[in-house]
Amino acid sequence: MVKRLFPRSIRARLTTIATLVAAVVFTIASVMTLITVPGNLYGVVQTRVELAVRRVASELRAGEFHTVLETPSHVQVLQVVSARGNVIATSPGLDQIPSLMAFQASEPETIYTTELTLSRHQHEPETHYLVMAMKVHTSNGLATVYGAASLNDVDKALKWINILLFLGTPLILVSVAGITWAVVGLALRPVERIRAEMAEITGQDLSRRVPIPDTGDEITDLAATTNHTLDRLQRSVETQRRFVSDASHELRSPISALRAQLEVANAYPDETDWQATGKRALAAADRLTGIIDELLMLARLDAGAVAPRRVVDLVRVAKDQVRRREGAQVPIVLDSCGAAPVFGSPIQLDRLLTNLLDNATRHAATRVDLEVEVEGDRVVVMVTDDGDGIRPKDRERVFERFTRLENARAKDKGGSGLGLPLSRDIATAHGGTLTVADHEPGARFVAVLPLHREP
């Protein structure tokens, strides 16, 4: 099993990442500080001493000799020593410093640098100095110019820098980890409340909703989206329950009728017209088969199953529909263009026209008009009857499953309330629409599907 590099908890992961990033940043900053700051501090002191030494050397070359040397600030020692080791010029009040003279400059006109521990006076404690020496040609021969400046301030600064880097960095990292842990925990508190509420929601009670924080951030969007999802889920479950209930009711009616007919026939076999009973039983079985077929197709569409598809000419499908219905009580008048190719399932598209024409013929008074036209990049199919029509407020209800209007229930005993919903689902699955348009008299159903063009 592969070990995880980071903790499983988001809070712990973010804390770890923030601490590691801070550690990398502070490590780089510490290394850069240790590389650049000591050199810069020493460079400042060295520059001061070098300027003072070169100034004295320049005066000696020019013959401007002074036994008491003017010493600039931050430079504590200036002395000129002859080739014999005698101090011929020095800073005010400064004793001879033997340890200073032990540092010799080898080549003339070249500055040599070292660090020494010196005491400027006999009773003064020794101090860390930066010392520079330079041999100069004078009118009296070679002389060595010495300059020294205390490094106490530099040593103190470096000491504090080391303390801050090696002790302060761990404290800062601990602070970063603690602050990140607290801030992430505070930010994730609404998520925990959402999780706790989601854990309490069950399939038996989908009315509960997660709390929406008023922070206006991504967690607010997450909570709002979760509630929208729960709304859709609740509606879907309620629709499913109603669907199961209505399906049970629709299936029970023909089964009950069939059972009653068979029971009567079985109870009075000598008085039963078995041919008529068989016809009625076959009609009930046909109705059951139609309901079951529509339920199965609806279930497949709901599950997102895609049936085999190819290019289908809706004009040819419409002509086949009209041919199969020749001699029916309500004639169907076809008005079509030359061809209307659509890419889709032949079975489903044929079922769409079947349902629309069955619905129209059940409600028509004298005729049904079927029109198939190509308009731009779409195919428009219109099925119009001259019946009672559909009120505007009911034009969306008719596409709900098992919905049958009152006038339809009175005139149509064979409908299941699944044909129109199935037709709309088929149109939607093919990237189209199915609506009820204004028309007088009767009702007009308009199916719009994308036109297929050969590449």
Side-chain angles (χ1 to χ4, degrees):
M1 182 177 179
V2 181
K3 294 184 178 179
R4 296 176 62 90
L5 296 178
F6 290 96
R8 190 176 298 273
S9 166
I10 293 178
R11 189 179 189 183
R13 283 206 303 268
L14 291 178
T15 301
T16 302
I17 292 173
T19 305
L20 290 177
V21 171
V24 171
V25 171
F26 279 105
T27 299
I28 295 174
S30 300
V31 171
M32 296 299 296
T33 300
L34 293 176
I35 291 175
T36 59
V37 171
N40 291 336
L41 294 177
Y42 279 104
V44 172
V45 177
Q46 186 173 350
T47 300
R48 292 171 181 169
V49 177
E50 183 177 351
L51 290 175
V53 169
R54 289 188 180 279
R55 178 179 58 80
V56 174
S58 177
E59 291 175 354
L60 290 175
R61 293 191 200 95
E64 300 177 2
F65 183 75
H66 303 281
T67 58
V68 178
L69 301 175
E70 181 182 351
T71 306
S73 61
H74 302 292
V75 177
Q76 286 76 31
V77 175
L78 277 177
Q79 280 190 344
V80 179
V81 180
S82 65
R84 297 181 179 182
N86 298 321
V87 177
I88 57 178
T90 184
S91 299
L94 190 65
D95 299 335
Q96 183 174 344
I97 308 174
S99 56
L100 177 66
M101 299 176 190
F103 174 51
Q104 295 292 326
S106 301
E107 299 293 332
E109 305 300 333
T110 302
I111 291 183
Y112 294 86
T113 306
T114 188
E115 295 180 21
L116 297 174
T117 301
L118 306 176
S119 176
R120 296 186 303 168
H121 304 285
Q122 294 182 355
H123 303 291
E124 183 181 271
E126 292 183 337
T127 305
H128 187 203
Y129 282 90
L130 175 71
V131 179
M132 303 184 76
M134 179 180 180
K135 280 186 177 180
V136 182
H137 292 282
T138 67
S139 57
N140 296 324
L142 287 174
T144 303
V145 180
Y146 288 97
S150 174
L151 292 174
N152 283 346
D153 293 339
V154 174
D155 293 338
K156 288 180 182 179
L158 293 179
K159 179 180 178 181
W160 280 108
I161 289 174
N162 290 329
I163 291 174
L164 289 176
L165 292 181
F166 293 102
L167 294 182
T169 298
L171 293 177
I172 292 175
L173 293 180
V174 171
S175 300
V176 169
I179 292 172
T180 305
W181 181 270
V183 170
V184 174
L186 185 63
L188 293 179
R189 190 175 299 169
V191 177
E192 175 59 25
R193 289 197 292 265
I194 294 173
R195 186 206 63 79
E197 186 65 27
M198 288 292 293
E200 297 293 330
I201 297 176
T202 64
Q204 302 300 323
D205 181 16
L206 292 173
S207 61
R208 300 177 64 170
R209 296 294 179 266
V210 300
I212 299 179
D214 57 356
T215 53
D217 54 11
E218 290 82 356
I219 297 179
T220 301
D221 297 337
L222 172 64
T225 303
T226 301
N227 283 341
H228 292 324
T229 303
L230 289 173
D231 289 338
R232 293 194 299 270
L233 180 61
Q234 184 179 13
R235 290 194 298 268
S236 176
V237 170
E238 291 175 352
T239 302
Q240 189 71 18
R241 289 172 180 169
R242 188 167 56 251
F243 177 81
V244 172
S245 176
D246 292 340
S248 301
H249 176 74
E250 292 294 331
L251 290 173
R252 186 184 298 114
S253 297
I255 291 175
S256 299
L258 178 60
R259 182 182 181 85
Q261 295 171 16
L262 294 178
E263 286 178 347
V264 171
N266 187 55
Y268 306 98
D270 297 335
E271 302 176 6
T272 300
D273 184 352
W274 287 101
Q275 185 176 4
T277 301
K279 290 181 178 179
R280 290 194 297 270
L282 184 60
D286 288 340
R287 185 184 177 197
L288 281 172
T289 302
I291 294 175
I292 292 172
D293 289 343
E294 289 178 336
L295 287 173
L296 289 175
M297 189 170 290
L298 282 170
R300 293 192 186 100
L301 291 173
D302 289 342
V306 179
R309 297 190 176 192
R310 60 181 176 82
V311 179
V312 180
D313 185 2
L314 286 184
V315 173
R316 181 176 300 176
V317 175
K319 290 179 179 179
D320 290 341
Q321 288 281 345
V322 174
R323 188 178 306 111
R324 292 200 298 264
R325 297 169 188 269
E326 288 180 353
Q329 185 177 358
V330 178
I332 299 176
V333 180
L334 175 62
D335 180 10
S336 64
C337 58
V342 173
F343 187 77
S345 166
I347 296 176
Q348 292 181 358
L349 293 173
D350 182 73
R351 190 53 178 263
L352 185 150
L353 283 180
T354 298
N355 290 345
L356 292 179
L357 291 173
D358 287 347
N359 179 77
T361 53
R362 283 198 299 266
H363 296 89
T366 58
R367 59 179 280 175
V368 172
D369 293 312
L370 173 59
E371 301 176 51
V372 182
E373 301 292 341
V374 175
E375 297 181 0
D377 58 351
R378 60 182 190 167
V379 175
V380 180
V381 179
M382 290 186 290
V383 178
T384 309
D385 65 71
D386 57 353
D388 295 334
I390 302 174
R391 294 177 298 180
K393 67 177 184 180
D394 295 328
R395 289 178 181 175
E396 282 300 315
R397 286 186 57 223
V398 295
F399 294 108
E400 297 177 3
R401 298 176 185 183
F402 297 108
T403 296
R404 298 176 65 195
L405 304 180
E406 292 300 327
N407 58 351
R409 291 180 183 274
K411 294 184 177 182
D412 178 20
K413 301 297 184 181
S416 64
L418 291 174
L420 293 179
L422 177 59
S423 298
R424 170 170 276 191
D425 286 350
I426 292 173
T428 302
H430 286 75
T433 60
L434 176 61
T435 57
V436 180
D438 291 330
H439 185 265
E440 287 291 340
R444 170 173 288 175
F445 287 84
V446 181
V448 179
L449 298 172
L451 176 67
H452 176 76
R453 298 185 183 276
E454 292 295 337

